[in-house]
Amino acid sequence: MERMTLAAHALHALLWLLGRLPLRALHAFGATLGWFACRAGRGTARITRRNLALAFPELDPGARESLARTSLRATGQALAETCRFWTRPAPDNLALVCESQGAELLDAAQRAGRGVIIAAPHLGHWELLNQWLAARAPIAIVYRPPRQAWLEALLRRARGHEGVTQVRAEAAGVRQLFRTLKDGGTVGILPDQQPKRGDGEFAPFFGVDAFTMTLLPRLAHKTGATVLFGWAERLPKSAGFRVRITAAPAGIADADALRATAALNAGVEACVRIAPEQYQWGYKRYSMRPAGAPKRY
């Protein structure tokens, strides 16, 4: 692992300074970023509008545009919150968690000793969720290493909170995940990242085929671990966050990859429908297509 470069240290210092702002100020800053992105109509804004058109065809154009604007503001707020969550001690961040729902499901699964997989969609703020989970029991979180080594060093520093083990999404890392679950530990995975060719199956996500990871269902099938969904919901008026833990749909650990990935996407979709404006719609979730299918972007 390479050390952080001078540029990485400078970026971390900037994040640190922004992270000292009160949550309300961070939200105002982030919402302003989202407003500018919406006005520009390019990049993230264009992808957001396209994804919402695919996922919510039943909405009239005006309602979808309203959701797009709200979503872009929330995306900006999530970006601003990251400055805090990456640079402040976990206890300071966890003071923002006002309530939790479904924590008893997590407690029961961890007591059972068969291992727990937390599927954490790009919804609300997953960095805060990681810290909340690690405060209850050690957790191994999976990450896809960026191409730049200096950026990976920055990410590892930012996410290096007590109780968190960071595992690269590669062969050696997968073996480590199996060992963690076999020992009754907890693993956290972002289930809605598009995998590489050969590491997924096409399954419906909001009614549209999306190339979906098979890693999480495979881990659940081979280890017998309990799968739960979790996310940290942003409360109105900068009041803090609500952590939600829910059970996974039936079939998520099925040996049939098609049935398992369909259940995985159904679980993500159920979470997103609670607060669709807090989902990261600016990600090209449908960029990989079945053979012969038209492009989505």
Side-chain angles (χ1 to χ4, degrees), residues 38-287:
C38 187
R39 294 286 292 179
R42 302 175 182 175
T44 299
R46 181 180 60 82
I47 296 167
T48 294
R49 290 185 171 106
R50 177 58 176 152
N51 280 336
L52 290 175
L54 292 169
F56 297 101
E58 71 279 8
L59 293 181
D60 64 70
R64 275 205 306 271
E65 179 58 24
S66 177
L67 178 55
R69 289 196 297 267
T70 305
S71 173
L72 288 164
R73 288 196 296 269
T75 297
Q77 290 174 332
L79 180 63
E81 290 163 355
T82 300
C83 298
R84 175 190 177 111
F85 298 148
W86 276 7
T87 62
R88 288 200 187 193
D92 289 358
N93 297 328
L94 294 176
L96 298 176
V97 178
C98 303
E99 60 179 285
S100 62
Q101 294 181 359
E104 68 280 0
L105 297 175
L106 175 61
D107 293 339
Q110 290 176 330
R111 283 196 303 268
R114 295 192 302 272
V116 182
I117 301 172
I118 302 295
H122 288 83
L123 179 65
H125 215 297
W126 48 98
E127 300 288 353
L128 180 61
L129 175 69
N130 287 341
Q131 294 173 30
W132 184 85
L133 292 167
R136 303 175 73 87
I139 184 171
I141 62 171
V142 183
Y143 74 97
R144 182 182 298 172
R147 295 177 181 176
Q148 301 87 354
W150 69 267
L151 182 54
E152 182 176 5
L154 174 62
L155 292 175
R156 291 185 66 86
R157 174 179 176 179
R159 292 169 171 165
H161 294 276
E162 184 177 357
V164 176
T165 300
Q166 301 177 65
V167 180
R168 276 173 154 235
E170 56 189 20
V174 171
R175 290 193 292 270
Q176 183 176 348
L177 298 179
F178 274 108
R179 290 194 297 270
T180 298
L181 293 172
K182 287 289 189 181
D183 292 340
T186 303
V187 166
I189 300 178
L190 295 166
D192 48 357
Q193 279 188 320
Q194 190 168 248
K196 297 177 182 178
R197 290 281 183 188
D199 293 334
E201 296 283 353
F202 285 100
F205 182 57
F206 282 88
V208 181
D209 278 344
F211 198 58
T212 304
M213 68 162 61
T214 53
L215 172 61
L216 190 153
R218 186 158 49 95
L219 287 170
H221 174 70
K222 292 188 175 182
T223 66
T226 299
V227 181
L228 299 172
F229 281 79
W231 57 291
E233 179 184 7
R234 185 177 303 105
L235 297 177
K237 299 180 180 179
S238 302
F241 292 82
R242 175 190 297 117
V243 170
R244 292 180 181 265
I245 304 293
T246 60
I252 201 166
D254 200 274
D256 184 327
L258 293 176
R259 182 166 186 256
T261 51
L264 178 60
N265 281 351
V268 175
E269 183 174 332
C271 294
V272 173
R273 287 189 179 277
I274 295 173
E277 72 283 357
Q278 294 191 32
Y279 189 60
Q280 299 298 292
W281 293 106
Y283 177 63
K284 290 186 177 181
R285 185 66 183 89
Y286 303 111
S287 61

